[in-house]
Amino acid sequence: MMEQDGFKNYCVLKTFGVRRSEVQPFLSSGSVSVDFSEDCLDGTILIVNGEGDEVEFQAAVDKLKGAFSDKIYADEDVSLAKKLVEVCRENAVRLAVAESLTGGMICSRLVDVPGASEVLVEGLITYTNASKVRRLHVKLSTLEEYGAVSKETAAEMTHGLLESRDADLGIATTGCAGPDSDEKGTPVGLAFVGVATRKGGKIYRMNLNGDRNYIRKCVANAAMFYALERAENKDKEN
C-alpha cells in the first residue's frame, strides 16, 4: 500500500477461481472503491482509497481478504508464474512438469520469470498415450481402462515425474480441450490437474466451458495455483 497521485493508497489482491458475481457485493463507488478483473480464472481485486480514512480502507481490505482467503495467492500485482517461482525458490522446491492438453504453456510461463532455472528441473510435453507410457511410465492398462483424460492417468503422470528424485514437486495436466471429444467420448472441457510431492498428492477435476485456448489457459493457471499451494506447505502431509 502506498501514496499515489489522485488517491491516498491502494491494495491489489490476486486471486484464482473467484467469479465477478462473488465480488459484486463488495464493489462500490464511495471513498473506498473496489474493482475486479479476471482472465482465465486468474483474478485481480483492486481496492482504492480515494478520500476515505485509513480505518475505512483497512476494513475494506480485511473484509475482502477474509471473504476470499483460500483463493488469494498474493497481495501484490504479481503473476501466478512469478509467485510460484518465488515461493519455490524460498522453500527450496524443485519443479518438474508434464503437460498434455496445455502443451508447454506452464513451462513457457515459468521460464518467462527471471530465476526460473533455480527451481524448474524439467518440462515434458507428453501429448500422446505412447509418450505418457514411455516418458512417465503411465501404465498401458490405466490408459486402456480409464483413458488419457482421467484422475488415474494424472496421478501416474505426477508419480512418473518424481521417480528420478530430481524434483520435489510434480505437476501434470491432462484433458480434452476440443473442439471434439476424444476416442473415449470425453466431454470437451473436462480436465485433470495432478500436483504431488513424495509425501502425497492431489488430483483436481475441472469442468470448463469455452473455446480450446480458453480451456487450456484455465488449466495452466489452475496447475500453477495448486502447485503454489503445495509449495507453500511442502512440509505438510497430504
Side-chain angles (χ1 to χ4, degrees):
M1 301 176 194
M2 59 177 64
E3 193 81 18
Q4 294 285 318
D5 293 337
F7 51 89
K8 290 185 175 181
N9 49 21
Y10 72 97
C11 178
V12 173
L13 302 178
K14 296 300 303 255
T15 66
F16 175 79
V18 174
R19 301 292 185 178
R20 188 172 185 82
S21 59
E22 297 177 87
V23 185
Q24 193 68 40
F26 300 93
L27 302 183
S28 62
S29 57
S31 298
V32 178
S33 64
V34 179
D35 196 11
F36 177 73
S37 60
E38 178 256 334
D39 181 24
C40 298
L41 304 181
D42 187 13
T44 302
I45 300 175
L46 175 62
I47 310 160
V48 178
N49 185 13
E51 299 297 332
D53 59 36
E54 192 61 30
V55 174
E56 182 184 5
F57 174 67
Q58 192 58 53
V61 172
D62 291 343
K63 191 173 183 179
L64 282 155
K65 283 185 174 180
F68 304 111
S69 59
D70 60 335
K71 296 181 177 181
I72 294 172
Y73 66 84
D75 57 3
E76 59 178 323
D77 193 8
V78 64
S79 70
L80 270 166
K82 184 176 181 182
K83 186 67 177 179
L84 178 56
V85 169
E86 288 176 351
V87 170
C88 286
R89 185 190 299 121
E90 291 167 1
N91 292 343
V93 173
R94 298 166 300 169
L95 288 174
V97 185
E99 302 185 61
S100 189
L101 87 160
T102 50
M105 280 185 172
I106 298 169
C107 285
S108 178
R109 295 265 298 278
L110 291 174
V111 299
D112 278 342
V113 180
S117 60
E118 297 178 41
V119 302
L120 181 61
V121 175
E122 65 179 343
L124 304 174
I125 301 175
T126 52
Y127 208 59
T128 65
N129 284 354
S131 178
K132 292 177 179 65
V133 172
R134 185 173 64 255
R135 299 295 187 186
L136 298 170
H137 305 146
V138 174
K139 297 183 183 70
L140 185 58
S141 60
T142 299
L143 292 164
E144 291 174 343
E145 183 174 357
Y146 301 105
V149 184
S150 64
K151 64 180 181 180
E152 291 81 5
T153 294
E156 291 187 15
M157 288 172 71
T158 56
H159 179 74
L161 285 170
L162 298 172
E163 280 184 339
S164 69
R165 307 190 75 83
D166 291 330
D168 307 300
L169 177 60
I171 306 168
T173 64
T174 183
C176 181
D180 302 312
S181 298
D182 61 15
E183 67 280 358
K184 289 275 190 180
T186 303
V188 173
L190 176 63
F192 293 90
V193 174
V195 177
T197 66
R198 272 176 286 280
K199 291 186 176 182
K202 189 170 182 179
I203 307 300
Y204 301 87
R205 179 189 178 111
M206 303 182 72
N207 291 284
L208 299 160
N209 294 308
D211 64 26
R212 183 176 176 82
N213 280 334
Y214 174 79
I215 291 169
R216 295 173 65 233
K217 288 176 183 176
C218 284
V219 175
N221 284 339
M224 287 186 286
F225 176 74
Y226 296 132
L228 175 58
E229 287 187 320
R230 195 76 180 181
E232 288 176 329
N233 301 282
K234 72 165 189 172
D235 296 324
K236 294 184 180 179
E237 292 287 346
N238 190 38

